[in-house]
Amino acid sequence: MIMLKVPYAEKDEAKALGARWNKDSKLWYVPDGVDVAPFQRWVLKGVAPSPAAANPSGAPAGRIDSYVGKQVVGARYVALEHGCNPFEACAECGPKLAASGWTDARAEVLRIVGGLKT
């Protein structure tokens, strides 16, 4: 993530190029994976991303909400290396999901939902 110093008059241009606003640091930034070349005139040297936007070592992998820059994960979140769908059978991920408790939690939800009458 690259922090930017964008004048107010140019904010619409930066946003159109893919920049995002960080309300905590009150700065624009270039999200990871976006080409930095179009933003070179606004790059702010010597400013690190805010701690809320950083992914500390050892933190669980998860979706990053690019607007506020913080991880969004649930209690039963399990990172799957090859990005399969946990709701479909997968020989590679099945044991990992079962060991984490995810499979048992899903079975309990299905049991409860199955017992509801409409």
Side-chain angles (χ1 to χ4, degrees):
M1 178 182 336
I2 306 292
M3 304 308 283
L4 305 172
K5 182 70 173 178
V6 179
Y8 183 80
E10 299 174 10
K11 71 176 181 60
D12 292 330
E13 182 182 353
K15 187 175 182 179
L17 291 170
R20 298 285 180 254
W21 176 252
N22 183 309
K23 68 179 180 177
D24 296 329
S25 64
K26 299 200 182 336
L27 290 171
W28 288 89
Y29 67 93
V30 180
D32 294 334
V34 175
D35 183 25
V36 182
F39 301 98
Q40 288 305 311
R41 66 181 172 185
W42 300 309
V43 171
L44 191 57
K45 307 275 192 261
V47 175
S50 66
N55 182 7
S57 178
R63 174 176 65 86
I64 300 294
D65 184 334
S66 64
Y67 183 72
V68 295
K70 60 183 176 182
Q71 290 187 339
V72 180
V73 296
R76 296 287 181 192
Y77 178 82
V78 178
L80 302 175
E81 287 77 24
H82 65 281
C84 72
N85 182 350
F87 298 103
E88 296 174 3
C90 175
E92 187 177 335
C93 296
K96 186 173 183 179
L97 291 171
S100 72
W102 185 92
T103 306
D104 295 335
R106 180 169 186 260
E108 180 65 14
V109 168
L110 292 175
R111 185 189 65 74
I112 292 169
V113 170
L116 297 176
K117 298 185 188 245
T118 56

